[in-house]
Each structure stands twice: as C-alpha cells, then as structure tokens.
Amino acid sequence: MKRLLLISYYFPPRPNIGSIRPGGLAKYLPRFGWEPTVLTARLPEGPRPGMKIIETGYRDLADLWKKRMGVPSDRSLGERPDHGGVLSGLAGIMLRPVVRAVRSAILFPDAMRGWIPYALAEGRQLLKDESFDAILVSCGPESGALVAGRLAQESGLPLVVDLRDLWTQGPAYSGGSLRRWVERRLERGALSPAMALVTVSPTLAEVLRKDYPSHQVEAVYSGYDPDDFEGPPPVLSPALTITYTGRVHPGFRNPGPLFEALSKLRKGGFNVESIRVRFYTDQVDFVKAAVQMQGLMDLVEVRGLVPRPQALALQRESQMLLLLGWQGPRAEGVMTGKVFEYLGARRPILLVGGPRGDLARFLEERRAGFYAADAGSAQ
C-alpha cells in the first residue's frame, strides 16, 4: 500500500455536498493500492468513516465577527432580507456594499481561512512523524489548496489538486477586478507545485489546460456510493411527485422557471392538481416567495434541509427529481454533485435553467433525464 495524505475541509459527516467526493475517494482508494490519512477540520457529531482521520482546530472568523455585532449565525449583514440578510430599508441599501467589501477583505481568500494555521501545524507534524508517498487536496475551500501547496513544497512530495469548483475562473466568482488580480497570483502560487490538476467536467478541464499548460489536467466525474442505496426497492409516491433536496443559491440557481411553467399549465386548463413539488432546502423563505408569486401554494411544499439519509429516501420514492441549472457567465462546465446522488436513486431527472452545457449533455447522453432551458420548454 502506498500512503496518501488527503486534505479536505469538507468530509463526512460534515453535512455538505462537498463532503461526498473526498469521502468517496478516501473509502475506495485502498482498492487501488492507496491508504489515505485524512486531514480535515473538526467534524460535527456523527459516524466516522473507518480510516485514520486527523481533525484539527478551526477558527470561524465569519461567526466570530457576527457574534461581535450581535448577528445570528444563520443570518447575514451583506445580503438582502429575502436572501437571509438582517439589514433592510434605505440603510440596508447603503450599508450592504460596504459590509460585503469588508467581509471580502477579512475572509480572504475564503470563509475558511481560519483553518489554515491549524491545518498547516497538524500537516507538518504528520509529515514529520509518518511517511507518505503523495498529497491529494480536494477543494474548495481554496484555503485547502494553500495548505496543500505549502506542505508539498516543504516535503517535496508529489501533489494532486482536485478542484470541485474552479477558483478565480469559477462561475460564482464575484470578487471584482482588483481582488481577482491579487487572487490569481495567490492561486498560481498554490497550484503551481502540483504535478496534476483534476476537475469535475470536460469544459472546466479545458479552462485549466489553458491556464496551466505545463500541468497534467484531467476531468474526473464524481459518482455515488452504491452502499448508500442498499435495501428493499422504494415504494413510489402515488402522485406525480417532483422533489428537490439541497441548497438553493439565489441569483444563480432559480426555481422560478418551473413554477412559471406550472402556472401556465394551470391557466391553460392542464390538470396540475395531480402534481406535487417538494423542496427541502436552506432557502425556505426565498423559495416560498417564488411559489406565492405564481399562486402555487397548494402544489408546492417547501421545508428546510433534512439529514442526508432522509434526503436519499425522499429521492427514491419520488416520480421525478429536480436539478436547478447554474445561471450566468462561465456556467457551461458546472457539474453539480447532486446529479450523481440522483443517479443513485434511479429516478428520472428534470434539469431546469442554465445553458445546454456539460450537465445537460451528461443527462442526455445517458438518457437519465431532460433539460429545459426556461419555462416554455419546462412545460
């Protein structure tokens, strides 16, 4: 067995889609001759995978500043009230840009920067006490790449960087031209020590090849763990149930086209009463507002996030599963990890919104679902 130091802030049982890919890598790499030791931030309560896991300290800088300003941990100063913010009215309009600028400076390059000194200290001690053959980091957050790059340079070990999302080239990047210039230099310093770069879709791999022509770059899709879907076959819901489980990103992932399509069908005389749409999401108020705008409160159920085992059960009993395509520039290569979880549920997938990019082609080539760019095609 070769020994691998696997660095990832997100790791099971941390409840985030970003935990699934590094968790799966750690579980299945021993079948290919690699024994992983995982370096991660302190994990929440829950079952730990059966491998060596080093949990480090972590200083949550965002939460620290919220406490100092009397803001609840689940609210924000820099967002609109309908997106979870606390500042409203004219004062909110004036202050939110200032708050976002200050937050961007404090949390540079990302909100997990408070993990860097702890991860570096534990990583250096690990490399001193034990022998490893390579380092693999799965990121974001980008702080993990900074840790791994430093440890690789200090140890001389080969480094592979797995980018579930691109850094400054990512579709959600909104740092502005000055920050982007600074952060590009930071990014190149972190990724240059790598012998190979890995990402999740062919389009994103092409972006990396242009940026890093001297590096080996590969696109490696994520997947699902068959062990998560063991048990008797599910009993399908009697109604035409469309289910969405996961986070919603206002401004980037918009459920509006689906609700607009249902509203048009109802006005056109279609019997939509046989359809039930279920959202289990972090943005309950945002989704409810979109439902009310189309007058679909009797058809759409909106609840908060549920534990992953419950989400998987809800997916398997549904007639159809919903994906929300990423909107905006550079969205062509977005390949959400949720699609692989849905594949494991073996239910038809409806992708609404976003470009006909890698995700839409992936579904169509595998005959796993349907793509609707807007409300008209969603009908």
PDB file of all heavy atoms in Angstrom, residues 19-43:
ATOM      1  N   SER A  19     -18.624  17.258   0.890  1.00  0.00           N
ATOM      2  CA  SER A  19     -18.029  16.156   1.654  1.00  0.00           C
ATOM      3  C   SER A  19     -18.063  14.834   0.903  1.00  0.00           C
ATOM      4  O   SER A  19     -17.284  13.921   1.206  1.00  0.00           O
ATOM      5  CB  SER A  19     -18.773  15.990   2.988  1.00  0.00           C
ATOM      6  OG  SER A  19     -18.661  17.129   3.800  1.00  0.00           O
ATOM      7  N   ILE A  20     -18.971  14.719  -0.071  1.00  0.00           N
ATOM      8  CA  ILE A  20     -19.225  13.415  -0.670  1.00  0.00           C
ATOM      9  C   ILE A  20     -18.050  12.937  -1.518  1.00  0.00           C
ATOM     10  O   ILE A  20     -17.621  11.782  -1.420  1.00  0.00           O
ATOM     11  CB  ILE A  20     -20.522  13.459  -1.492  1.00  0.00           C
ATOM     12  CG1 ILE A  20     -21.704  13.732  -0.561  1.00  0.00           C
ATOM     13  CG2 ILE A  20     -20.721  12.157  -2.253  1.00  0.00           C
ATOM     14  CD1 ILE A  20     -23.020  13.938  -1.275  1.00  0.00           C
ATOM     15  N   ARG A  21     -17.512  13.808  -2.367  1.00  0.00           N
ATOM     16  CA  ARG A  21     -16.412  13.392  -3.252  1.00  0.00           C
ATOM     17  C   ARG A  21     -15.166  12.986  -2.461  1.00  0.00           C
ATOM     18  O   ARG A  21     -14.641  11.879  -2.686  1.00  0.00           O
ATOM     19  CB  ARG A  21     -16.108  14.510  -4.246  1.00  0.00           C
ATOM     20  CG  ARG A  21     -15.041  14.162  -5.296  1.00  0.00           C
ATOM     21  CD  ARG A  21     -14.987  15.263  -6.327  1.00  0.00           C
ATOM     22  NE  ARG A  21     -13.877  15.205  -7.241  1.00  0.00           N
ATOM     23  CZ  ARG A  21     -13.958  14.822  -8.521  1.00  0.00           C
ATOM     24  NH1 ARG A  21     -15.118  14.419  -9.011  1.00  0.00           N
ATOM     25  NH2 ARG A  21     -12.894  14.846  -9.305  1.00  0.00           N
ATOM     26  N   PRO A  22     -14.631  13.805  -1.541  1.00  0.00           N
ATOM     27  CA  PRO A  22     -13.456  13.348  -0.784  1.00  0.00           C
ATOM     28  C   PRO A  22     -13.758  12.141   0.096  1.00  0.00           C
ATOM     29  O   PRO A  22     -12.894  11.287   0.298  1.00  0.00           O
ATOM     30  CB  PRO A  22     -13.057  14.572   0.050  1.00  0.00           C
ATOM     31  CG  PRO A  22     -14.257  15.445   0.070  1.00  0.00           C
ATOM     32  CD  PRO A  22     -14.972  15.204  -1.213  1.00  0.00           C
ATOM     33  N   GLY A  23     -15.005  12.051   0.614  1.00  0.00           N
ATOM     34  CA  GLY A  23     -15.365  10.875   1.402  1.00  0.00           C
ATOM     35  C   GLY A  23     -15.329   9.612   0.569  1.00  0.00           C
ATOM     36  O   GLY A  23     -14.855   8.556   1.014  1.00  0.00           O
ATOM     37  N   GLY A  24     -15.832   9.689  -0.672  1.00  0.00           N
ATOM     38  CA  GLY A  24     -15.797   8.543  -1.566  1.00  0.00           C
ATOM     39  C   GLY A  24     -14.380   8.173  -1.976  1.00  0.00           C
ATOM     40  O   GLY A  24     -14.021   6.982  -2.063  1.00  0.00           O
ATOM     41  N   LEU A  25     -13.547   9.178  -2.221  1.00  0.00           N
ATOM     42  CA  LEU A  25     -12.145   8.914  -2.564  1.00  0.00           C
ATOM     43  C   LEU A  25     -11.442   8.166  -1.434  1.00  0.00           C
ATOM     44  O   LEU A  25     -10.755   7.166  -1.665  1.00  0.00           O
ATOM     45  CB  LEU A  25     -11.416  10.233  -2.839  1.00  0.00           C
ATOM     46  CG  LEU A  25     -11.690  10.906  -4.180  1.00  0.00           C
ATOM     47  CD1 LEU A  25     -11.104  12.316  -4.196  1.00  0.00           C
ATOM     48  CD2 LEU A  25     -11.106  10.089  -5.331  1.00  0.00           C
ATOM     49  N   ALA A  26     -11.639   8.648  -0.220  1.00  0.00           N
ATOM     50  CA  ALA A  26     -10.976   8.014   0.920  1.00  0.00           C
ATOM     51  C   ALA A  26     -11.451   6.580   1.113  1.00  0.00           C
ATOM     52  O   ALA A  26     -10.670   5.693   1.492  1.00  0.00           O
ATOM     53  CB  ALA A  26     -11.234   8.833   2.181  1.00  0.00           C
ATOM     54  N   LYS A  27     -12.721   6.328   0.850  1.00  0.00           N
ATOM     55  CA  LYS A  27     -13.284   4.991   1.046  1.00  0.00           C
ATOM     56  C   LYS A  27     -12.780   3.994   0.011  1.00  0.00           C
ATOM     57  O   LYS A  27     -12.478   2.837   0.338  1.00  0.00           O
ATOM     58  CB  LYS A  27     -14.814   5.069   0.996  1.00  0.00           C
ATOM     59  CG  LYS A  27     -15.507   3.729   1.158  1.00  0.00           C
ATOM     60  CD  LYS A  27     -17.021   3.880   1.151  1.00  0.00           C
ATOM     61  CE  LYS A  27     -17.726   2.519   1.270  1.00  0.00           C
ATOM     62  NZ  LYS A  27     -19.205   2.662   1.306  1.00  0.00           N
ATOM     63  N   TYR A  28     -12.676   4.422  -1.248  1.00  0.00           N
ATOM     64  CA  TYR A  28     -12.405   3.477  -2.326  1.00  0.00           C
ATOM     65  C   TYR A  28     -10.955   3.460  -2.816  1.00  0.00           C
ATOM     66  O   TYR A  28     -10.560   2.548  -3.547  1.00  0.00           O
ATOM     67  CB  TYR A  28     -13.352   3.743  -3.497  1.00  0.00           C
ATOM     68  CG  TYR A  28     -14.763   3.280  -3.185  1.00  0.00           C
ATOM     69  CD1 TYR A  28     -15.752   4.194  -2.830  1.00  0.00           C
ATOM     70  CD2 TYR A  28     -15.090   1.927  -3.222  1.00  0.00           C
ATOM     71  CE1 TYR A  28     -17.047   3.769  -2.518  1.00  0.00           C
ATOM     72  CE2 TYR A  28     -16.372   1.492  -2.924  1.00  0.00           C
ATOM     73  CZ  TYR A  28     -17.343   2.409  -2.571  1.00  0.00           C
ATOM     74  OH  TYR A  28     -18.613   1.982  -2.256  1.00  0.00           O
ATOM     75  N   LEU A  29     -10.141   4.444  -2.424  1.00  0.00           N
ATOM     76  CA  LEU A  29      -8.740   4.442  -2.870  1.00  0.00           C
ATOM     77  C   LEU A  29      -7.960   3.202  -2.429  1.00  0.00           C
ATOM     78  O   LEU A  29      -7.077   2.744  -3.171  1.00  0.00           O
ATOM     79  CB  LEU A  29      -8.036   5.714  -2.390  1.00  0.00           C
ATOM     80  CG  LEU A  29      -8.217   6.947  -3.283  1.00  0.00           C
ATOM     81  CD1 LEU A  29      -7.643   8.185  -2.613  1.00  0.00           C
ATOM     82  CD2 LEU A  29      -7.562   6.729  -4.649  1.00  0.00           C
ATOM     83  N   PRO A  30      -8.225   2.624  -1.237  1.00  0.00           N
ATOM     84  CA  PRO A  30      -7.477   1.404  -0.869  1.00  0.00           C
ATOM     85  C   PRO A  30      -7.631   0.266  -1.880  1.00  0.00           C
ATOM     86  O   PRO A  30      -6.725  -0.567  -2.012  1.00  0.00           O
ATOM     87  CB  PRO A  30      -8.084   1.028   0.493  1.00  0.00           C
ATOM     88  CG  PRO A  30      -8.499   2.341   1.083  1.00  0.00           C
ATOM     89  CD  PRO A  30      -9.020   3.127  -0.100  1.00  0.00           C
ATOM     90  N   ARG A  31      -8.739   0.226  -2.613  1.00  0.00           N
ATOM     91  CA  ARG A  31      -8.894  -0.813  -3.644  1.00  0.00           C
ATOM     92  C   ARG A  31      -7.886  -0.637  -4.774  1.00  0.00           C
ATOM     93  O   ARG A  31      -7.644  -1.574  -5.541  1.00  0.00           O
ATOM     94  CB  ARG A  31     -10.309  -0.760  -4.221  1.00  0.00           C
ATOM     95  CG  ARG A  31     -11.408  -1.052  -3.211  1.00  0.00           C
ATOM     96  CD  ARG A  31     -12.748  -1.208  -3.901  1.00  0.00           C
ATOM     97  NE  ARG A  31     -13.826  -1.421  -2.947  1.00  0.00           N
ATOM     98  CZ  ARG A  31     -15.091  -1.695  -3.278  1.00  0.00           C
ATOM     99  NH1 ARG A  31     -15.407  -1.796  -4.576  1.00  0.00           N
ATOM    100  NH2 ARG A  31     -16.010  -1.867  -2.362  1.00  0.00           N
ATOM    101  N   PHE A  32      -7.328   0.545  -4.884  1.00  0.00           N
ATOM    102  CA  PHE A  32      -6.355   0.830  -5.944  1.00  0.00           C
ATOM    103  C   PHE A  32      -4.936   0.992  -5.385  1.00  0.00           C
ATOM    104  O   PHE A  32      -4.069   1.559  -6.039  1.00  0.00           O
ATOM    105  CB  PHE A  32      -6.779   2.085  -6.690  1.00  0.00           C
ATOM    106  CG  PHE A  32      -8.130   1.971  -7.340  1.00  0.00           C
ATOM    107  CD1 PHE A  32      -9.272   2.348  -6.658  1.00  0.00           C
ATOM    108  CD2 PHE A  32      -8.266   1.445  -8.615  1.00  0.00           C
ATOM    109  CE1 PHE A  32     -10.526   2.225  -7.238  1.00  0.00           C
ATOM    110  CE2 PHE A  32      -9.510   1.323  -9.208  1.00  0.00           C
ATOM    111  CZ  PHE A  32     -10.648   1.707  -8.513  1.00  0.00           C
ATOM    112  N   GLY A  33      -4.742   0.505  -4.149  1.00  0.00           N
ATOM    113  CA  GLY A  33      -3.399   0.462  -3.604  1.00  0.00           C
ATOM    114  C   GLY A  33      -2.954   1.690  -2.840  1.00  0.00           C
ATOM    115  O   GLY A  33      -1.760   1.856  -2.594  1.00  0.00           O
ATOM    116  N   TRP A  34      -3.913   2.560  -2.447  1.00  0.00           N
ATOM    117  CA  TRP A  34      -3.546   3.764  -1.711  1.00  0.00           C
ATOM    118  C   TRP A  34      -4.272   3.787  -0.358  1.00  0.00           C
ATOM    119  O   TRP A  34      -5.491   3.687  -0.300  1.00  0.00           O
ATOM    120  CB  TRP A  34      -3.922   5.014  -2.497  1.00  0.00           C
ATOM    121  CG  TRP A  34      -3.042   5.259  -3.684  1.00  0.00           C
ATOM    122  CD1 TRP A  34      -3.209   4.789  -4.946  1.00  0.00           C
ATOM    123  CD2 TRP A  34      -1.837   6.029  -3.690  1.00  0.00           C
ATOM    124  NE1 TRP A  34      -2.187   5.214  -5.748  1.00  0.00           N
ATOM    125  CE2 TRP A  34      -1.326   5.983  -5.014  1.00  0.00           C
ATOM    126  CE3 TRP A  34      -1.150   6.754  -2.729  1.00  0.00           C
ATOM    127  CZ2 TRP A  34      -0.157   6.636  -5.383  1.00  0.00           C
ATOM    128  CZ3 TRP A  34       0.024   7.411  -3.093  1.00  0.00           C
ATOM    129  CH2 TRP A  34       0.510   7.343  -4.396  1.00  0.00           C
ATOM    130  N   GLU A  35      -3.487   3.940   0.692  1.00  0.00           N
ATOM    131  CA  GLU A  35      -4.046   4.034   2.045  1.00  0.00           C
ATOM    132  C   GLU A  35      -4.090   5.502   2.456  1.00  0.00           C
ATOM    133  O   GLU A  35      -3.042   6.135   2.650  1.00  0.00           O
ATOM    134  CB  GLU A  35      -3.193   3.243   3.037  1.00  0.00           C
ATOM    135  CG  GLU A  35      -3.702   3.345   4.469  1.00  0.00           C
ATOM    136  CD  GLU A  35      -2.736   2.729   5.464  1.00  0.00           C
ATOM    137  OE1 GLU A  35      -1.704   2.157   5.030  1.00  0.00           O
ATOM    138  OE2 GLU A  35      -2.986   2.841   6.668  1.00  0.00           O
ATOM    139  N   PRO A  36      -5.286   6.099   2.618  1.00  0.00           N
ATOM    140  CA  PRO A  36      -5.355   7.528   2.936  1.00  0.00           C
ATOM    141  C   PRO A  36      -5.324   7.819   4.432  1.00  0.00           C
ATOM    142  O   PRO A  36      -5.869   7.064   5.243  1.00  0.00           O
ATOM    143  CB  PRO A  36      -6.716   7.929   2.343  1.00  0.00           C
ATOM    144  CG  PRO A  36      -7.558   6.701   2.503  1.00  0.00           C
ATOM    145  CD  PRO A  36      -6.611   5.526   2.342  1.00  0.00           C
ATOM    146  N   THR A  37      -4.680   8.896   4.772  1.00  0.00           N
ATOM    147  CA  THR A  37      -4.847   9.546   6.073  1.00  0.00           C
ATOM    148  C   THR A  37      -5.475  10.900   5.791  1.00  0.00           C
ATOM    149  O   THR A  37      -4.952  11.672   4.977  1.00  0.00           O
ATOM    150  CB  THR A  37      -3.496   9.728   6.787  1.00  0.00           C
ATOM    151  OG1 THR A  37      -2.959   8.448   7.120  1.00  0.00           O
ATOM    152  CG2 THR A  37      -3.669  10.553   8.061  1.00  0.00           C
ATOM    153  N   VAL A  38      -6.593  11.181   6.435  1.00  0.00           N
ATOM    154  CA  VAL A  38      -7.376  12.378   6.119  1.00  0.00           C
ATOM    155  C   VAL A  38      -7.046  13.492   7.102  1.00  0.00           C
ATOM    156  O   VAL A  38      -7.042  13.286   8.321  1.00  0.00           O
ATOM    157  CB  VAL A  38      -8.894  12.069   6.172  1.00  0.00           C
ATOM    158  CG1 VAL A  38      -9.704  13.333   5.881  1.00  0.00           C
ATOM    159  CG2 VAL A  38      -9.239  10.976   5.176  1.00  0.00           C
ATOM    160  N   LEU A  39      -6.767  14.667   6.565  1.00  0.00           N
ATOM    161  CA  LEU A  39      -6.552  15.873   7.367  1.00  0.00           C
ATOM    162  C   LEU A  39      -7.718  16.807   7.111  1.00  0.00           C
ATOM    163  O   LEU A  39      -7.934  17.266   5.983  1.00  0.00           O
ATOM    164  CB  LEU A  39      -5.232  16.544   6.976  1.00  0.00           C
ATOM    165  CG  LEU A  39      -4.854  17.826   7.730  1.00  0.00           C
ATOM    166  CD1 LEU A  39      -4.591  17.528   9.210  1.00  0.00           C
ATOM    167  CD2 LEU A  39      -3.641  18.494   7.099  1.00  0.00           C
ATOM    168  N   THR A  40      -8.506  17.097   8.151  1.00  0.00           N
ATOM    169  CA  THR A  40      -9.706  17.907   7.981  1.00  0.00           C
ATOM    170  C   THR A  40      -9.929  18.752   9.225  1.00  0.00           C
ATOM    171  O   THR A  40      -9.269  18.562  10.256  1.00  0.00           O
ATOM    172  CB  THR A  40     -10.932  17.010   7.708  1.00  0.00           C
ATOM    173  OG1 THR A  40     -12.060  17.815   7.378  1.00  0.00           O
ATOM    174  CG2 THR A  40     -11.274  16.151   8.923  1.00  0.00           C
ATOM    175  N   ALA A  41     -10.864  19.695   9.139  1.00  0.00           N
ATOM    176  CA  ALA A  41     -11.240  20.496  10.300  1.00  0.00           C
ATOM    177  C   ALA A  41     -12.109  19.667  11.236  1.00  0.00           C
ATOM    178  O   ALA A  41     -12.669  18.642  10.834  1.00  0.00           O
ATOM    179  CB  ALA A  41     -11.978  21.757   9.857  1.00  0.00           C
ATOM    180  N   ARG A  42     -12.221  20.113  12.474  1.00  0.00           N
ATOM    181  CA  ARG A  42     -13.019  19.387  13.462  1.00  0.00           C
ATOM    182  C   ARG A  42     -14.417  19.110  12.917  1.00  0.00           C
ATOM    183  O   ARG A  42     -15.118  20.001  12.447  1.00  0.00           O
ATOM    184  CB  ARG A  42     -13.122  20.187  14.755  1.00  0.00           C
ATOM    185  CG  ARG A  42     -13.801  19.437  15.892  1.00  0.00           C
ATOM    186  CD  ARG A  42     -13.863  20.269  17.158  1.00  0.00           C
ATOM    187  NE  ARG A  42     -12.521  20.601  17.630  1.00  0.00           N
ATOM    188  CZ  ARG A  42     -12.012  21.833  17.624  1.00  0.00           C
ATOM    189  NH1 ARG A  42     -12.730  22.839  17.141  1.00  0.00           N
ATOM    190  NH2 ARG A  42     -10.806  22.066  18.081  1.00  0.00           N
ATOM    191  N   LEU A  43     -14.831  17.845  12.947  1.00  0.00           N
ATOM    192  CA  LEU A  43     -16.080  17.413  12.340  1.00  0.00           C
ATOM    193  C   LEU A  43     -17.226  17.437  13.350  1.00  0.00           C
ATOM    194  O   LEU A  43     -17.001  17.308  14.561  1.00  0.00           O
ATOM    195  CB  LEU A  43     -15.925  16.000  11.774  1.00  0.00           C
ATOM    196  CG  LEU A  43     -14.915  15.846  10.643  1.00  0.00           C
ATOM    197  CD1 LEU A  43     -14.697  14.371  10.316  1.00  0.00           C
ATOM    198  CD2 LEU A  43     -15.368  16.609   9.398  1.00  0.00           C
TER     199      LEU A  43
END
